[in-house]
Amino acid sequence: MGSMGFHQYFAGLLRCSKSCRLRWTNYLRPGIKRGNFTDHEEKMIIHLQALLGNRWAAIASYLPERTDNDIKNYWNTHLKKKLTMTNNSDSSSPSPSSSANSSISSSTRKSTKPSRGQWERRLQSDIQTARRALSHAISPSSSVHLNHGGGGAGSTYASSADNIARLLKDWMKNKPTSSSAGSKVCDSQSSPSCNDSAESIPIGGGGESVAVELPGRSFNALLGFGFGSGDGASNCSDLSHSGSPVATTKRMFKAEEGCEDVSHPDEASLSLLEKWLLEEGSLTGAVGKHDFFTAVLEMY
DNA sequence: AAGCCCTGCAACCGCCATTCG
DNA sequence: TCGAATGGCGGTTGCAGGGCT
């Protein structure tokens, strides 16, 4: 039983506290939506999985009525299969499972399993990678290398980050220059209110500080800077844990960005993300957001 | 009708982080 | 400060139920 042996078993239930909590959060808790996933939810999961990897708790925070376990099961039993079938039509593409191994998600559980602190560090690393990818994408002449030399998990993400960079590059290339979007400088170090416009994206964890506009949505929302439900995520509402990954990540990003308003009320960030992820045809450019994510998925 | 196979999902496992005394 | 207890997470397993032969 491992560590379970330390947990207290409740008389008559044959369940330890941990098991009870799990059953509550995954099954008994009010507000859990059961049954089939909607197309909307499915898209959310696919897109978020492409962005975040197998971080089901983080993904679940965007789907308040679903538990991480549900999402995980749905991914493993439905979506993985679906994507595999999709990829079979394109034999040159690696399988989805390889994506889970090669991209953000962990390849070896013991070495990369994100417990709280690791989760944050890894997420931070992901964001650094994404930023670099974006930075690389918007400056074609840039020689930014996505490989984090000796960066542990960072090197694991390199291939996917590279892919994203390429996609972004294409995406930006196809984006009409006449659109209201442009780039503006935003020194996150010196101007704490760099997100005064919801459309600006601070890029660069270290030195570079460029802001790019995504079509109507902030990169904060895209990457989950506003990170989900503030009540400690939907999947653990029974516990008020200010130290939850969600909460601490929020704080982390606020501190890192030096921005006051990084984490918005959850519904707000959720809807931003949802809209950004799911809006179809609202993009002025030739390549839609959905196309972008589809392309990302298809690369796996 | 019986046996086999497949699928979906709840629960378990093991690890690490956090809390608490 | 330290160690035990507990929480949280992702991966995996086991089983019930349905479909097929």
Side-chain angles (χ1 to χ4, degrees):
Chain A
M1 204 57 120
S3 63
M4 292 274 267
F6 294 111
H7 294 254
Q8 180 181 4
Y9 277 77
F10 297 123
L13 286 180
L14 296 178
R15 290 179 189 274
C16 63
S17 61
K18 187 174 181 174
S19 183
C20 288
R21 184 192 61 81
L22 201 66
R23 182 161 169 78
W24 169 261
T25 56
N26 286 335
Y27 192 76
L28 299 173
R29 181 170 59 86
I32 292 179
K33 187 167 149 192
R34 313 195 66 77
N36 294 336
F37 281 67
T38 64
D39 286 346
H40 174 265
E41 289 171 321
E42 190 176 305
K43 281 182 184 177
M44 286 283 288
I45 293 168
I46 291 171
H47 292 157
L48 287 167
Q49 204 278 342
L51 278 172
L52 301 171
N54 295 354
R55 292 176 202 165
W56 309 117
I59 293 172
S61 69
Y62 289 100
L63 297 166
E65 294 176 316
R66 301 291 186 179
T67 68
D68 55 348
N69 209 36
D70 272 346
I71 294 169
K72 180 171 59 182
N73 283 332
Y74 188 69
W75 174 265
N76 286 330
T77 58
H78 292 87
L79 297 179
K80 221 161 148 182
K81 211 175 301 173
K82 191 183 279 188
L83 291 175
T84 302
M85 288 174 67
T86 303
N87 287 330
N88 280 345
S89 64
D90 178 14
S91 57
S92 61
S93 299
S95 68
S97 60
S98 70
S99 100
N101 289 339
S102 63
S103 71
I104 294 171
S105 61
S106 60
S107 55
T108 54
R109 183 169 144 64
K110 281 181 181 175
S111 60
T112 59
K113 180 195 167 296
S115 292
R116 185 168 298 170
Q118 291 176 323
W119 193 92
E120 288 175 14
R121 282 193 293 274
R122 219 174 71 179
L123 188 55
Q124 196 169 17
S125 171
D126 293 346
I127 287 153
Q128 294 290 338
T129 303
R131 283 176 169 169
R132 286 171 184 271
L134 262 179
S135 177
H136 182 78
I138 63 170
S139 58
S141 61
S142 161
S143 61
V144 173
H145 294 292
L146 295 169
N147 286 331
H148 294 179
S155 58
T156 309
Y157 310 147
S159 58
S160 61
D162 200 14
N163 292 340
I164 292 169
R166 282 208 318 272
L167 283 163
L168 281 170
K169 197 183 283 185
D170 291 341
W171 181 55
M172 296 298 289
K173 209 185 300 173
N174 292 327
K175 196 165 179 281
T177 55
S178 60
S179 80
S180 62
S183 57
K184 69 177 184 178
V185 174
C186 171
D187 188 345
S188 62
Q189 309 292 330
S190 59
S191 66
S193 59
C194 64
N195 68 334
D196 54 349
S197 162
E199 318 300 321
S200 67
I201 305 163
I203 292 179
E208 68 271 305
S209 54
V210 185
V212 184
E213 291 186 3
L214 283 182
R217 298 296 169 235
S218 73
F219 194 56
N220 284 358
L222 168 62
L223 277 182
F225 276 46
F227 238 77
S229 51
D231 62 358
S234 59
N235 57 327
C236 45
S237 65
D238 56 321
L239 300 171
S240 61
H241 50 313
S242 61
S244 71
V246 170
T248 50
T249 304
K250 278 184 178 177
R251 287 195 298 272
M252 182 177 77
F253 288 137
K254 286 184 83 167
E256 180 184 316
E257 297 302 310
C259 298
E260 289 301 314
D261 198 21
V262 167
S263 61
H264 282 295
D266 311 314
E267 291 75 13
S269 57
L270 174 62
S271 68
L272 280 178
L273 180 73
E274 281 187 10
K275 284 179 184 171
W276 201 90
L277 288 175
L278 301 174
E279 246 175 27
E280 297 283 351
S282 66
L283 188 63
T284 54
V287 179
K289 287 166 282 192
H290 183 66
D291 293 335
F292 165 68
F293 282 108
T294 302
V296 171
L297 288 173
E298 283 173 354
M299 298 185 75
Y300 292 141

